[in-house]
Amino acid sequence: MTRTVNHWIGGKPAEGASGTFGPVTDPATGEVTTQVAFADRDEVDAAVAAAREASATWGTTSLAQRTAVLFRFRTLLDAHRDEIAALITAEHGKVHSDALGEVARGLEVVELACSIPGQLKGELSTEVSTRVDVASIRQPLGVVAGITPFNFPAMVPMWMFPIAIACGNTFVLKPSEKDPSAAMRVAELLSEAGLPDGVFNVVNGDRTAVDRLLEHPDVAAVSFVGSTPIARHIHTTASAHGKRVQALGGAKNHMLVLPDADLDAAADAAVSAAYGSAGERCMAISAVVAVGSVGDDLVARIKERAGKVRIGPGTDPESEMGPLITAAHRDKVASYVRGAAEDGCEVVLDGTGYTVEGHENGHWIGLSLLDRVPTTAKAYRDEIFGPVLCVLRVDTYEEGVALMNASPFGNGTAIFTRDGGAARRFQLEVQAGMVGVNVPIPVPVGYHSFGGWKDSLFGDHHIYGNDGTHFYTRGKVVTTRWPDPADAPAGVDLGFPRNH
Ligand code: NAD
């Protein structure tokens, strides 16, 4: 063990007072490099107390001052992209260029937060009744919490806290215990940018920390991103404690390929979106639905490209795909591939048993491609979260869309076609929150919102964009009358007030 990651409370590092720690592993070597503190209830309470204290002044700090801090943070984040990407690679395993992409997409949301005054400017109607004006304003909630997954240790927290803080809330983040260092570095940069102590806090840990946040009376809202079973638990529990909740869950993203599609473009897209980040993306394409005659040709092109993907440590600039997060997860992913033939799939590529020379203890797995996958196969039904692509064959567009819409998940989806009419129909008919037309990973830009349907999101709000501002504020409507001194007194009137 070379390092210890503690918490960040009240603008400074806080010792892991509970004395409980968990291991953080470099997935490329299998070595434990760091120990991360696991917060107990008292430590969570200390973080919430710091956030609550800071909220008294941060919520009334002027928009000019709040955004000035965010502008400075934006500059610092930009200058430290490489360093944060390196922290991500060391603990998550994804290749450096991919980690840089994650930081860039987080930065987009920080930039949106810099422009929050435009989104918070409210509405005013004058003279709605005689000498009566009505204003709608939005105010911060107070202390809000974010609970985030291992697969985007920098970007997903940045989907949340920049908007929350810009809106005048204070924040308690519980990052994934598997790769906590990027979030801690972000906390330091926020402080360097001049964010007042206590506005942004980090508690590390596991379920104990999460469950305390879910029930804490001073936490007004909870944003969660992670797997579907935990998202459901978060939504149910935090709602039962009276909190506003948005809980984004897992996915099984489908890509429909029509016979008229550019097959080279479709095959490139399928390989990039299925195997990028070793498939550990909630927007990964994990099921290609090939329509009509297109299947054989498409599978051949995917196979050819997948065979050339270079696997290795994320620190090696030659590597295109890194290891999986843990050995246990690697073994679970492999079990889906090993059971595929028995479930009726045709195993075109079997990535199990793969190792990288000189890094034999890393959590490696190669690329797997399964064809003619029945919808009953376990590899199709479950979110595998690894480099395993299923191809399903259907005869028609209608059959393809029906198959996709029968999935319990509805995060991202894509259609590959040259037919504008079919693409338009697909946009309207598919049951998913994010749709790509010849775009395999349709992650919305910062000023549109991100979110899925069905078991991919619990709650009413998508994340960031206008939905983010709405989630982190509550509405208030002020009705004002300033009578003219010349007006006759209104007198007592017990009737329900009417506008006139
Ligand atoms: P996870 O659900 O295991 O963990 C997410 C967070 O919840 C972590 O901070 C973890 O410590 C905490 N947690 C885990 N078990 C808990 C429990 N029993 N009670 C309370 N808290 C608990 O997810 P993960 O493995 O870190 O991330 C991968 C999952 O996240 C995948 O399912 C992926 O699809 C999903 N994901 C979804 C999106 C999206 O936008 N929809 C984005 C990224 C990841």
Side-chain angles (χ1 to χ4, degrees), residues 3-9 14-24 34-40 43 174-178 180 184 202-206 209:
R3 293 170 65 235
T4 298
V5 171
N6 284 303
H7 314 297
W8 183 269
I9 299 175
E15 291 278 309
S18 73
T20 310
F21 294 88
V24 179
T34 303
Q35 60 168 1
V36 58
F38 276 22
D40 61 14
E43 288 168 297
K174 206 303 281 174
S176 170
E177 64 277 31
K178 298 192 176 93
M184 293 299 280
V202 183
V203 284
N204 283 302
D206 61 359

Side-chain angles (χ1 to χ4, degrees), residues 311-333:
I311 304 170
T315 47
D316 180 349
E318 294 292 306
S319 303
E320 294 172 291
M321 190 181 106
L324 289 176
I325 185 73
T326 60
H329 184 54
R330 186 261 322 275
D331 296 344
K332 189 171 172 212
V333 171

Side-chain angles (χ1 to χ4, degrees), residues 148-151 174 177 207 224-227 230 249-250 282 383 450:
T148 53
F150 80 83
N151 68 321
K174 206 303 281 174
E177 64 277 31
R207 181 178 186 157
F224 172 86
V225 176
S227 59
I230 310 299
C282 66
E383 180 187 38
F450 180 111

Side-chain angles (χ1 to χ4, degrees), residues 3 34 39 51 78 90 94-95 136 141 150 178 222 246 259 276 333 350 362 375-376 421 446:
R3 293 170 65 235
T34 303
D78 184 35
K94 66 176 74 172
V95 300
S136 291
L141 305 176
F150 80 83
K178 298 192 176 93
V222 175
Q246 55 180 181
V333 171
D350 179 345
T375 52
T376 49

Side-chain angles (χ1 to χ4, degrees), residues 146-152 155-156 159 174-179 205-211 214 224-231 233-234 247-252 280-283 325 329 383 385 409 411 434 450-452 456-457 463:
I147 299 148
T148 53
F150 80 83
N151 68 321
F152 285 108
M155 180 183 76
V156 170
W159 285 356
K174 206 303 281 174
S176 170
E177 64 277 31
K178 298 192 176 93
D179 45 15
D206 61 359
R207 181 178 186 157
T208 304
V210 173
D211 284 347
L214 299 184
F224 172 86
V225 176
S227 59
T228 289
I230 310 299
H233 161 69
I234 300 284
L248 283 68
K252 193 84 186 177
E280 289 175 327
R281 289 181 184 144
C282 66
M283 289 293 274
I325 185 73
H329 184 54
E383 180 187 38
F385 223 54
F409 299 107
N411 211 40
M434 293 166 285
F450 180 111
S456 294
L457 189 145
I463 211 160

Side-chain angles (χ1 to χ4, degrees), residues 168-500:
N169 302 283
T170 56
F171 203 88
V172 180
L173 174 68
K174 206 303 281 174
S176 170
E177 64 277 31
K178 298 192 176 93
D179 45 15
S181 294
M184 293 299 280
R185 188 68 188 112
V186 161
E188 290 169 357
L189 294 180
L190 281 165
S191 208
E192 206 177 319
L195 190 73
D197 295 348
V199 176
F200 181 76
N201 307 275
V202 183
V203 284
N204 283 302
D206 61 359
R207 181 178 186 157
T208 304
V210 173
D211 284 347
R212 179 60 184 149
L213 285 170
L214 299 184
E215 64 176 37
H216 199 297
D218 290 337
V219 173
V222 175
S223 298
F224 172 86
V225 176
S227 59
T228 289
I230 310 299
R232 201 180 265 122
H233 161 69
I234 300 284
H235 185 251
T236 310
T237 312
S239 301
H241 285 89
K243 302 182 195 323
R244 188 176 287 198
V245 197
Q246 55 180 181
L248 283 68
K252 193 84 186 177
N253 304 307
H254 294 69
M255 169 171 155
L256 187 69
V257 182
L258 299 191
D260 69 350
D262 175 337
L263 279 198
D264 281 322
D268 284 343
V271 171
S272 309
Y275 304 114
S277 203
E280 289 175 327
R281 289 181 184 144
C282 66
M283 289 293 274
I285 289 292
S286 45
V288 163
V289 182
V291 178
S293 57
V294 85
D296 290 347
D297 200 355
L298 182 62
V299 168
R301 289 177 205 224
I302 292 174
K303 182 183 175 191
E304 190 228 324
R305 285 161 172 78
K308 292 183 187 154
V309 170
R310 294 184 301 267
I311 304 170
T315 47
D316 180 349
E318 294 292 306
S319 303
E320 294 172 291
M321 190 181 106
L324 289 176
I325 185 73
T326 60
H329 184 54
R330 186 261 322 275
D331 296 344
K332 189 171 172 212
V333 171
S335 73
Y336 283 103
V337 180
R338 296 202 175 106
E342 201 175 308
D343 273 359
C345 311
E346 209 172 277
V347 181
V348 179
L349 290 173
D350 179 345
T352 59
Y354 191 94
T355 54
V356 171
E357 220 183 296
H359 291 80
E360 285 75 8
N361 293 328
H363 313 148
W364 306 107
I365 193 163
L367 287 68
S368 295
L369 179 61
L370 310 177
D371 192 11
R372 300 184 187 280
V373 174
T375 52
T376 49
K378 220 166 162 344
Y380 174 70
R381 299 189 78 81
D382 292 358
E383 180 187 38
I384 299 179
F385 223 54
V388 181
L389 178 60
C390 295
V391 178
L392 296 93
R393 310 278 192 121
V394 295
D395 292 331
T396 61
Y397 162 89
E398 287 78 8
E399 207 187 317
V401 172
L403 182 154
M404 294 160 90
N405 285 349
S407 168
F409 299 107
N411 211 40
T413 185
I415 185 169
F416 275 71
T417 181
R418 290 188 171 99
D419 179 342
R424 180 176 183 279
R425 206 179 142 188
F426 181 77
Q427 290 166 44
L428 301 177
E429 291 177 351
V430 76
Q431 290 172 17
M434 293 166 285
V435 182
V437 177
N438 299 316
V439 172
I441 306 184
V443 174
V445 289
Y447 36 97
H448 287 258
S449 301
F450 180 111
W453 285 15
K454 302 191 271 185
D455 286 358
S456 294
L457 189 145
F458 303 92
D460 295 335
H461 291 88
H462 288 197
I463 211 160
Y464 65 74
N466 288 344
D467 268 27
T469 311
H470 214 266
F471 182 77
Y472 290 124
T473 54
R474 52 187 164 177
K476 187 179 273 179
V477 183
V478 184
T479 303
T480 309
R481 170 183 288 131
W482 290 107
D484 190 287
D487 289 349
V492 172
D493 179 357
L494 299 194
F496 196 71
R498 273 180 290 176
N499 295 317
H500 50 80

